[in-house]
Amino acid sequence: MTTNRATASDPRATLRAGLPDRYLTPEDLADMFRLPSVETVYAWRKKRIGPPGFRVGKHLRYDPAAVRAWVEAKKNAA
């Protein structure tokens, strides 16, 4: 699999390039934002500072549109 250089250097480029048509897992977010571990995603959720997620049974999922909106709000706040 080839990686787009712009996507590799900027996680927001991944969002501009398009998110998958499926709900995202915490691991997906950790990879997308190049976080040190998936525990960071769980900490964001606990502190209510990350993108809104929801439970499907015991699994945590994120709507790609909500993640995109969260990133846009963060960009506009900076």
PDB file of all heavy atoms in Angstrom, residues 43-76:
ATOM      1  N   ALA A  43      -8.763   8.757  26.838  1.00  0.00           N
ATOM      2  CA  ALA A  43      -8.630   9.884  27.776  1.00  0.00           C
ATOM      3  C   ALA A  43      -9.408  11.094  27.268  1.00  0.00           C
ATOM      4  O   ALA A  43     -10.064  11.793  28.052  1.00  0.00           O
ATOM      5  CB  ALA A  43      -7.163  10.232  27.980  1.00  0.00           C
ATOM      6  N   TRP A  44      -9.345  11.359  25.955  1.00  0.00           N
ATOM      7  CA  TRP A  44     -10.131  12.453  25.380  1.00  0.00           C
ATOM      8  C   TRP A  44     -11.610  12.250  25.663  1.00  0.00           C
ATOM      9  O   TRP A  44     -12.323  13.179  26.011  1.00  0.00           O
ATOM     10  CB  TRP A  44      -9.947  12.517  23.882  1.00  0.00           C
ATOM     11  CG  TRP A  44      -8.654  13.062  23.378  1.00  0.00           C
ATOM     12  CD1 TRP A  44      -7.656  13.652  24.109  1.00  0.00           C
ATOM     13  CD2 TRP A  44      -8.218  13.079  22.022  1.00  0.00           C
ATOM     14  NE1 TRP A  44      -6.636  14.016  23.285  1.00  0.00           N
ATOM     15  CE2 TRP A  44      -6.952  13.686  21.997  1.00  0.00           C
ATOM     16  CE3 TRP A  44      -8.777  12.632  20.830  1.00  0.00           C
ATOM     17  CZ2 TRP A  44      -6.241  13.869  20.829  1.00  0.00           C
ATOM     18  CZ3 TRP A  44      -8.076  12.808  19.664  1.00  0.00           C
ATOM     19  CH2 TRP A  44      -6.815  13.419  19.658  1.00  0.00           C
ATOM     20  N   ARG A  45     -12.068  11.015  25.494  1.00  0.00           N
ATOM     21  CA  ARG A  45     -13.490  10.725  25.712  1.00  0.00           C
ATOM     22  C   ARG A  45     -13.865  10.952  27.169  1.00  0.00           C
ATOM     23  O   ARG A  45     -14.888  11.565  27.469  1.00  0.00           O
ATOM     24  CB  ARG A  45     -13.811   9.303  25.283  1.00  0.00           C
ATOM     25  CG  ARG A  45     -15.268   8.941  25.463  1.00  0.00           C
ATOM     26  CD  ARG A  45     -15.573   7.641  24.752  1.00  0.00           C
ATOM     27  NE  ARG A  45     -16.846   7.098  25.121  1.00  0.00           N
ATOM     28  CZ  ARG A  45     -18.015   7.504  24.613  1.00  0.00           C
ATOM     29  NH1 ARG A  45     -18.055   8.465  23.723  1.00  0.00           N
ATOM     30  NH2 ARG A  45     -19.136   6.940  24.995  1.00  0.00           N
ATOM     31  N   LYS A  46     -13.022  10.495  28.062  1.00  0.00           N
ATOM     32  CA  LYS A  46     -13.290  10.645  29.496  1.00  0.00           C
ATOM     33  C   LYS A  46     -13.340  12.121  29.891  1.00  0.00           C
ATOM     34  O   LYS A  46     -14.179  12.534  30.685  1.00  0.00           O
ATOM     35  CB  LYS A  46     -12.225   9.911  30.299  1.00  0.00           C
ATOM     36  CG  LYS A  46     -12.474   9.910  31.773  1.00  0.00           C
ATOM     37  CD  LYS A  46     -11.454   9.066  32.506  1.00  0.00           C
ATOM     38  CE  LYS A  46     -11.753   9.044  33.978  1.00  0.00           C
ATOM     39  NZ  LYS A  46     -10.786   8.225  34.713  1.00  0.00           N
ATOM     40  N   LYS A  47     -12.449  12.916  29.324  1.00  0.00           N
ATOM     41  CA  LYS A  47     -12.391  14.353  29.629  1.00  0.00           C
ATOM     42  C   LYS A  47     -13.364  15.172  28.780  1.00  0.00           C
ATOM     43  O   LYS A  47     -13.481  16.381  28.967  1.00  0.00           O
ATOM     44  CB  LYS A  47     -10.973  14.878  29.383  1.00  0.00           C
ATOM     45  CG  LYS A  47      -9.953  14.293  30.310  1.00  0.00           C
ATOM     46  CD  LYS A  47      -8.568  14.787  29.943  1.00  0.00           C
ATOM     47  CE  LYS A  47      -7.516  14.121  30.776  1.00  0.00           C
ATOM     48  NZ  LYS A  47      -6.149  14.544  30.378  1.00  0.00           N
ATOM     49  N   ARG A  48     -14.019  14.513  27.816  1.00  0.00           N
ATOM     50  CA  ARG A  48     -14.960  15.160  26.899  1.00  0.00           C
ATOM     51  C   ARG A  48     -14.309  16.272  26.079  1.00  0.00           C
ATOM     52  O   ARG A  48     -14.884  17.337  25.881  1.00  0.00           O
ATOM     53  CB  ARG A  48     -16.177  15.692  27.646  1.00  0.00           C
ATOM     54  CG  ARG A  48     -16.973  14.596  28.305  1.00  0.00           C
ATOM     55  CD  ARG A  48     -18.140  15.181  29.087  1.00  0.00           C
ATOM     56  NE  ARG A  48     -18.800  14.147  29.846  1.00  0.00           N
ATOM     57  CZ  ARG A  48     -19.941  13.573  29.488  1.00  0.00           C
ATOM     58  NH1 ARG A  48     -20.543  13.947  28.397  1.00  0.00           N
ATOM     59  NH2 ARG A  48     -20.473  12.637  30.235  1.00  0.00           N
ATOM     60  N   ILE A  49     -13.106  16.009  25.598  1.00  0.00           N
ATOM     61  CA  ILE A  49     -12.402  16.995  24.784  1.00  0.00           C
ATOM     62  C   ILE A  49     -12.159  16.497  23.359  1.00  0.00           C
ATOM     63  O   ILE A  49     -11.668  17.242  22.526  1.00  0.00           O
ATOM     64  CB  ILE A  49     -11.059  17.417  25.428  1.00  0.00           C
ATOM     65  CG1 ILE A  49     -10.130  16.218  25.590  1.00  0.00           C
ATOM     66  CG2 ILE A  49     -11.297  18.122  26.741  1.00  0.00           C
ATOM     67  CD1 ILE A  49      -8.733  16.582  26.052  1.00  0.00           C
ATOM     68  N   GLY A  50     -12.485  15.265  23.083  1.00  0.00           N
ATOM     69  CA  GLY A  50     -12.258  14.693  21.763  1.00  0.00           C
ATOM     70  C   GLY A  50     -13.527  14.679  20.938  1.00  0.00           C
ATOM     71  O   GLY A  50     -14.565  15.201  21.343  1.00  0.00           O
ATOM     72  N   PRO A  51     -13.448  14.064  19.774  1.00  0.00           N
ATOM     73  CA  PRO A  51     -14.649  13.961  18.938  1.00  0.00           C
ATOM     74  C   PRO A  51     -15.694  13.095  19.625  1.00  0.00           C
ATOM     75  O   PRO A  51     -15.353  12.190  20.395  1.00  0.00           O
ATOM     76  CB  PRO A  51     -14.133  13.289  17.663  1.00  0.00           C
ATOM     77  CG  PRO A  51     -12.844  12.666  18.017  1.00  0.00           C
ATOM     78  CD  PRO A  51     -12.288  13.420  19.168  1.00  0.00           C
ATOM     79  N   PRO A  52     -16.969  13.385  19.393  1.00  0.00           N
ATOM     80  CA  PRO A  52     -18.014  12.598  20.051  1.00  0.00           C
ATOM     81  C   PRO A  52     -18.043  11.168  19.516  1.00  0.00           C
ATOM     82  O   PRO A  52     -18.002  10.940  18.314  1.00  0.00           O
ATOM     83  CB  PRO A  52     -19.297  13.345  19.710  1.00  0.00           C
ATOM     84  CG  PRO A  52     -18.977  14.099  18.468  1.00  0.00           C
ATOM     85  CD  PRO A  52     -17.515  14.419  18.534  1.00  0.00           C
ATOM     86  N   GLY A  53     -18.088  10.242  20.431  1.00  0.00           N
ATOM     87  CA  GLY A  53     -18.172   8.833  20.070  1.00  0.00           C
ATOM     88  C   GLY A  53     -19.450   8.233  20.629  1.00  0.00           C
ATOM     89  O   GLY A  53     -20.188   8.887  21.373  1.00  0.00           O
ATOM     90  N   PHE A  54     -19.711   7.020  20.260  1.00  0.00           N
ATOM     91  CA  PHE A  54     -20.900   6.337  20.773  1.00  0.00           C
ATOM     92  C   PHE A  54     -20.585   4.854  20.921  1.00  0.00           C
ATOM     93  O   PHE A  54     -19.641   4.341  20.324  1.00  0.00           O
ATOM     94  CB  PHE A  54     -22.111   6.570  19.853  1.00  0.00           C
ATOM     95  CG  PHE A  54     -21.913   6.061  18.454  1.00  0.00           C
ATOM     96  CD1 PHE A  54     -22.350   4.790  18.087  1.00  0.00           C
ATOM     97  CD2 PHE A  54     -21.277   6.846  17.497  1.00  0.00           C
ATOM     98  CE1 PHE A  54     -22.167   4.320  16.799  1.00  0.00           C
ATOM     99  CE2 PHE A  54     -21.099   6.385  16.204  1.00  0.00           C
ATOM    100  CZ  PHE A  54     -21.533   5.117  15.860  1.00  0.00           C
ATOM    101  N   ARG A  55     -21.371   4.198  21.730  1.00  0.00           N
ATOM    102  CA  ARG A  55     -21.182   2.777  21.984  1.00  0.00           C
ATOM    103  C   ARG A  55     -22.089   1.946  21.094  1.00  0.00           C
ATOM    104  O   ARG A  55     -23.247   2.278  20.875  1.00  0.00           O
ATOM    105  CB  ARG A  55     -21.495   2.444  23.445  1.00  0.00           C
ATOM    106  CG  ARG A  55     -20.491   3.031  24.395  1.00  0.00           C
ATOM    107  CD  ARG A  55     -19.540   1.965  24.808  1.00  0.00           C
ATOM    108  NE  ARG A  55     -18.487   2.540  25.634  1.00  0.00           N
ATOM    109  CZ  ARG A  55     -17.252   2.116  25.593  1.00  0.00           C
ATOM    110  NH1 ARG A  55     -16.914   1.126  24.812  1.00  0.00           N
ATOM    111  NH2 ARG A  55     -16.335   2.651  26.358  1.00  0.00           N
ATOM    112  N   VAL A  56     -21.535   0.870  20.591  1.00  0.00           N
ATOM    113  CA  VAL A  56     -22.295  -0.167  19.906  1.00  0.00           C
ATOM    114  C   VAL A  56     -22.002  -1.420  20.714  1.00  0.00           C
ATOM    115  O   VAL A  56     -20.937  -2.019  20.568  1.00  0.00           O
ATOM    116  CB  VAL A  56     -21.852  -0.343  18.433  1.00  0.00           C
ATOM    117  CG1 VAL A  56     -22.629  -1.463  17.781  1.00  0.00           C
ATOM    118  CG2 VAL A  56     -22.000   0.956  17.665  1.00  0.00           C
ATOM    119  N   GLY A  57     -22.931  -1.730  21.622  1.00  0.00           N
ATOM    120  CA  GLY A  57     -22.642  -2.804  22.568  1.00  0.00           C
ATOM    121  C   GLY A  57     -21.491  -2.371  23.454  1.00  0.00           C
ATOM    122  O   GLY A  57     -21.535  -1.310  24.063  1.00  0.00           O
ATOM    123  N   LYS A  58     -20.428  -3.148  23.476  1.00  0.00           N
ATOM    124  CA  LYS A  58     -19.274  -2.783  24.294  1.00  0.00           C
ATOM    125  C   LYS A  58     -18.195  -2.045  23.499  1.00  0.00           C
ATOM    126  O   LYS A  58     -17.164  -1.676  24.029  1.00  0.00           O
ATOM    127  CB  LYS A  58     -18.668  -4.027  24.937  1.00  0.00           C
ATOM    128  CG  LYS A  58     -18.067  -5.003  23.966  1.00  0.00           C
ATOM    129  CD  LYS A  58     -17.473  -6.187  24.698  1.00  0.00           C
ATOM    130  CE  LYS A  58     -16.777  -7.121  23.708  1.00  0.00           C
ATOM    131  NZ  LYS A  58     -16.103  -8.202  24.395  1.00  0.00           N
ATOM    132  N   HIS A  59     -18.459  -1.795  22.216  1.00  0.00           N
ATOM    133  CA  HIS A  59     -17.462  -1.193  21.342  1.00  0.00           C
ATOM    134  C   HIS A  59     -17.705   0.303  21.171  1.00  0.00           C
ATOM    135  O   HIS A  59     -18.837   0.741  21.031  1.00  0.00           O
ATOM    136  CB  HIS A  59     -17.488  -1.862  19.968  1.00  0.00           C
ATOM    137  CG  HIS A  59     -17.251  -3.328  20.037  1.00  0.00           C
ATOM    138  ND1 HIS A  59     -16.014  -3.864  20.266  1.00  0.00           N
ATOM    139  CD2 HIS A  59     -18.095  -4.379  19.943  1.00  0.00           C
ATOM    140  CE1 HIS A  59     -16.102  -5.178  20.293  1.00  0.00           C
ATOM    141  NE2 HIS A  59     -17.373  -5.520  20.102  1.00  0.00           N
ATOM    142  N   LEU A  60     -16.632   1.066  21.157  1.00  0.00           N
ATOM    143  CA  LEU A  60     -16.687   2.503  20.943  1.00  0.00           C
ATOM    144  C   LEU A  60     -16.470   2.784  19.459  1.00  0.00           C
ATOM    145  O   LEU A  60     -15.556   2.236  18.842  1.00  0.00           O
ATOM    146  CB  LEU A  60     -15.595   3.185  21.775  1.00  0.00           C
ATOM    147  CG  LEU A  60     -15.485   4.691  21.707  1.00  0.00           C
ATOM    148  CD1 LEU A  60     -16.790   5.352  22.145  1.00  0.00           C
ATOM    149  CD2 LEU A  60     -14.336   5.164  22.576  1.00  0.00           C
ATOM    150  N   ARG A  61     -17.312   3.634  18.898  1.00  0.00           N
ATOM    151  CA  ARG A  61     -17.207   3.987  17.484  1.00  0.00           C
ATOM    152  C   ARG A  61     -17.366   5.490  17.315  1.00  0.00           C
ATOM    153  O   ARG A  61     -17.951   6.172  18.142  1.00  0.00           O
ATOM    154  CB  ARG A  61     -18.282   3.271  16.655  1.00  0.00           C
ATOM    155  CG  ARG A  61     -18.133   1.778  16.641  1.00  0.00           C
ATOM    156  CD  ARG A  61     -16.874   1.355  15.905  1.00  0.00           C
ATOM    157  NE  ARG A  61     -16.725  -0.081  15.844  1.00  0.00           N
ATOM    158  CZ  ARG A  61     -15.914  -0.785  16.610  1.00  0.00           C
ATOM    159  NH1 ARG A  61     -15.187  -0.196  17.529  1.00  0.00           N
ATOM    160  NH2 ARG A  61     -15.820  -2.096  16.470  1.00  0.00           N
ATOM    161  N   TYR A  62     -16.833   5.988  16.198  1.00  0.00           N
ATOM    162  CA  TYR A  62     -16.891   7.410  15.869  1.00  0.00           C
ATOM    163  C   TYR A  62     -17.445   7.571  14.464  1.00  0.00           C
ATOM    164  O   TYR A  62     -17.026   6.880  13.545  1.00  0.00           O
ATOM    165  CB  TYR A  62     -15.491   8.028  15.943  1.00  0.00           C
ATOM    166  CG  TYR A  62     -14.933   8.041  17.338  1.00  0.00           C
ATOM    167  CD1 TYR A  62     -14.212   6.964  17.829  1.00  0.00           C
ATOM    168  CD2 TYR A  62     -15.148   9.124  18.179  1.00  0.00           C
ATOM    169  CE1 TYR A  62     -13.720   6.963  19.118  1.00  0.00           C
ATOM    170  CE2 TYR A  62     -14.655   9.138  19.468  1.00  0.00           C
ATOM    171  CZ  TYR A  62     -13.943   8.051  19.931  1.00  0.00           C
ATOM    172  OH  TYR A  62     -13.457   8.057  21.213  1.00  0.00           O
ATOM    173  N   ASP A  63     -18.357   8.519  14.311  1.00  0.00           N
ATOM    174  CA  ASP A  63     -18.910   8.839  13.002  1.00  0.00           C
ATOM    175  C   ASP A  63     -17.880   9.707  12.269  1.00  0.00           C
ATOM    176  O   ASP A  63     -17.425  10.724  12.814  1.00  0.00           O
ATOM    177  CB  ASP A  63     -20.223   9.604  13.178  1.00  0.00           C
ATOM    178  CG  ASP A  63     -20.920   9.895  11.869  1.00  0.00           C
ATOM    179  OD1 ASP A  63     -20.297   9.766  10.797  1.00  0.00           O
ATOM    180  OD2 ASP A  63     -22.105  10.259  11.930  1.00  0.00           O
ATOM    181  N   PRO A  64     -17.482   9.332  11.061  1.00  0.00           N
ATOM    182  CA  PRO A  64     -16.497  10.132  10.329  1.00  0.00           C
ATOM    183  C   PRO A  64     -16.905  11.599  10.175  1.00  0.00           C
ATOM    184  O   PRO A  64     -16.060  12.483  10.246  1.00  0.00           O
ATOM    185  CB  PRO A  64     -16.410   9.440   8.968  1.00  0.00           C
ATOM    186  CG  PRO A  64     -16.843   8.048   9.220  1.00  0.00           C
ATOM    187  CD  PRO A  64     -17.867   8.133  10.318  1.00  0.00           C
ATOM    188  N   ALA A  65     -18.195  11.870   9.990  1.00  0.00           N
ATOM    189  CA  ALA A  65     -18.658  13.255   9.858  1.00  0.00           C
ATOM    190  C   ALA A  65     -18.444  14.026  11.162  1.00  0.00           C
ATOM    191  O   ALA A  65     -18.072  15.207  11.144  1.00  0.00           O
ATOM    192  CB  ALA A  65     -20.126  13.287   9.457  1.00  0.00           C
ATOM    193  N   ALA A  66     -18.654  13.374  12.298  1.00  0.00           N
ATOM    194  CA  ALA A  66     -18.445  14.024  13.602  1.00  0.00           C
ATOM    195  C   ALA A  66     -16.964  14.293  13.831  1.00  0.00           C
ATOM    196  O   ALA A  66     -16.594  15.334  14.383  1.00  0.00           O
ATOM    197  CB  ALA A  66     -19.021  13.160  14.712  1.00  0.00           C
ATOM    198  N   VAL A  67     -16.115  13.367  13.409  1.00  0.00           N
ATOM    199  CA  VAL A  67     -14.662  13.570  13.542  1.00  0.00           C
ATOM    200  C   VAL A  67     -14.237  14.749  12.672  1.00  0.00           C
ATOM    201  O   VAL A  67     -13.477  15.614  13.107  1.00  0.00           O
ATOM    202  CB  VAL A  67     -13.894  12.287  13.168  1.00  0.00           C
ATOM    203  CG1 VAL A  67     -12.396  12.537  13.140  1.00  0.00           C
ATOM    204  CG2 VAL A  67     -14.232  11.163  14.144  1.00  0.00           C
ATOM    205  N   ARG A  68     -14.745  14.803  11.453  1.00  0.00           N
ATOM    206  CA  ARG A  68     -14.424  15.913  10.542  1.00  0.00           C
ATOM    207  C   ARG A  68     -14.875  17.240  11.148  1.00  0.00           C
ATOM    208  O   ARG A  68     -14.125  18.225  11.130  1.00  0.00           O
ATOM    209  CB  ARG A  68     -15.090  15.690   9.191  1.00  0.00           C
ATOM    210  CG  ARG A  68     -14.712  16.718   8.149  1.00  0.00           C
ATOM    211  CD  ARG A  68     -15.355  16.441   6.792  1.00  0.00           C
ATOM    212  NE  ARG A  68     -14.871  15.196   6.219  1.00  0.00           N
ATOM    213  CZ  ARG A  68     -15.616  14.100   6.045  1.00  0.00           C
ATOM    214  NH1 ARG A  68     -16.890  14.095   6.408  1.00  0.00           N
ATOM    215  NH2 ARG A  68     -15.120  13.024   5.499  1.00  0.00           N
ATOM    216  N   ALA A  69     -16.081  17.293  11.701  1.00  0.00           N
ATOM    217  CA  ALA A  69     -16.596  18.508  12.313  1.00  0.00           C
ATOM    218  C   ALA A  69     -15.755  18.924  13.526  1.00  0.00           C
ATOM    219  O   ALA A  69     -15.487  20.114  13.734  1.00  0.00           O
ATOM    220  CB  ALA A  69     -18.050  18.313  12.729  1.00  0.00           C
ATOM    221  N   TRP A  70     -15.309  17.944  14.304  1.00  0.00           N
ATOM    222  CA  TRP A  70     -14.471  18.225  15.466  1.00  0.00           C
ATOM    223  C   TRP A  70     -13.141  18.834  15.031  1.00  0.00           C
ATOM    224  O   TRP A  70     -12.666  19.810  15.627  1.00  0.00           O
ATOM    225  CB  TRP A  70     -14.252  16.928  16.262  1.00  0.00           C
ATOM    226  CG  TRP A  70     -13.374  17.084  17.448  1.00  0.00           C
ATOM    227  CD1 TRP A  70     -13.706  17.630  18.654  1.00  0.00           C
ATOM    228  CD2 TRP A  70     -12.013  16.668  17.552  1.00  0.00           C
ATOM    229  NE1 TRP A  70     -12.621  17.575  19.501  1.00  0.00           N
ATOM    230  CE2 TRP A  70     -11.577  17.004  18.843  1.00  0.00           C
ATOM    231  CE3 TRP A  70     -11.126  16.060  16.683  1.00  0.00           C
ATOM    232  CZ2 TRP A  70     -10.282  16.729  19.280  1.00  0.00           C
ATOM    233  CZ3 TRP A  70      -9.833  15.783  17.121  1.00  0.00           C
ATOM    234  CH2 TRP A  70      -9.429  16.125  18.408  1.00  0.00           C
ATOM    235  N   VAL A  71     -12.537  18.283  13.990  1.00  0.00           N
ATOM    236  CA  VAL A  71     -11.271  18.818  13.486  1.00  0.00           C
ATOM    237  C   VAL A  71     -11.465  20.233  12.970  1.00  0.00           C
ATOM    238  O   VAL A  71     -10.662  21.127  13.257  1.00  0.00           O
ATOM    239  CB  VAL A  71     -10.687  17.905  12.382  1.00  0.00           C
ATOM    240  CG1 VAL A  71      -9.528  18.587  11.659  1.00  0.00           C
ATOM    241  CG2 VAL A  71     -10.242  16.583  12.962  1.00  0.00           C
ATOM    242  N   GLU A  72     -12.541  20.475  12.229  1.00  0.00           N
ATOM    243  CA  GLU A  72     -12.817  21.809  11.711  1.00  0.00           C
ATOM    244  C   GLU A  72     -13.011  22.808  12.852  1.00  0.00           C
ATOM    245  O   GLU A  72     -12.520  23.937  12.788  1.00  0.00           O
ATOM    246  CB  GLU A  72     -14.034  21.802  10.798  1.00  0.00           C
ATOM    247  CG  GLU A  72     -13.791  21.109   9.471  1.00  0.00           C
ATOM    248  CD  GLU A  72     -12.691  21.759   8.641  1.00  0.00           C
ATOM    249  OE1 GLU A  72     -12.615  23.009   8.606  1.00  0.00           O
ATOM    250  OE2 GLU A  72     -11.908  21.019   8.039  1.00  0.00           O
ATOM    251  N   ALA A  73     -13.725  22.407  13.906  1.00  0.00           N
ATOM    252  CA  ALA A  73     -13.945  23.298  15.051  1.00  0.00           C
ATOM    253  C   ALA A  73     -12.614  23.606  15.734  1.00  0.00           C
ATOM    254  O   ALA A  73     -12.384  24.761  16.159  1.00  0.00           O
ATOM    255  CB  ALA A  73     -14.909  22.647  16.045  1.00  0.00           C
ATOM    256  N   LYS A  74     -11.727  22.629  15.830  1.00  0.00           N
ATOM    257  CA  LYS A  74     -10.419  22.840  16.437  1.00  0.00           C
ATOM    258  C   LYS A  74      -9.576  23.790  15.577  1.00  0.00           C
ATOM    259  O   LYS A  74      -8.863  24.636  16.097  1.00  0.00           O
ATOM    260  CB  LYS A  74      -9.669  21.525  16.628  1.00  0.00           C
ATOM    261  CG  LYS A  74     -10.267  20.645  17.688  1.00  0.00           C
ATOM    262  CD  LYS A  74     -10.058  21.302  19.023  1.00  0.00           C
ATOM    263  CE  LYS A  74     -10.537  20.410  20.137  1.00  0.00           C
ATOM    264  NZ  LYS A  74     -10.456  21.061  21.435  1.00  0.00           N
ATOM    265  N   LYS A  75      -9.660  23.624  14.265  1.00  0.00           N
ATOM    266  CA  LYS A  75      -8.901  24.502  13.365  1.00  0.00           C
ATOM    267  C   LYS A  75      -9.392  25.943  13.474  1.00  0.00           C
ATOM    268  O   LYS A  75      -8.594  26.871  13.478  1.00  0.00           O
ATOM    269  CB  LYS A  75      -9.037  24.030  11.918  1.00  0.00           C
ATOM    270  CG  LYS A  75      -8.181  22.859  11.591  1.00  0.00           C
ATOM    271  CD  LYS A  75      -8.259  22.369  10.155  1.00  0.00           C
ATOM    272  CE  LYS A  75      -8.973  23.189   9.166  1.00  0.00           C
ATOM    273  NZ  LYS A  75      -9.058  22.593   7.835  1.00  0.00           N
ATOM    274  N   ASN A  76     -10.709  26.130  13.560  1.00  0.00           N
ATOM    275  CA  ASN A  76     -11.277  27.463  13.630  1.00  0.00           C
ATOM    276  C   ASN A  76     -11.022  28.131  14.967  1.00  0.00           C
ATOM    277  O   ASN A  76     -10.999  29.349  15.051  1.00  0.00           O
ATOM    278  CB  ASN A  76     -12.772  27.424  13.327  1.00  0.00           C
ATOM    279  CG  ASN A  76     -13.036  27.034  11.898  1.00  0.00           C
ATOM    280  OD1 ASN A  76     -12.200  27.219  11.020  1.00  0.00           O
ATOM    281  ND2 ASN A  76     -14.199  26.453  11.648  1.00  0.00           N
TER     282      ASN A  76
END
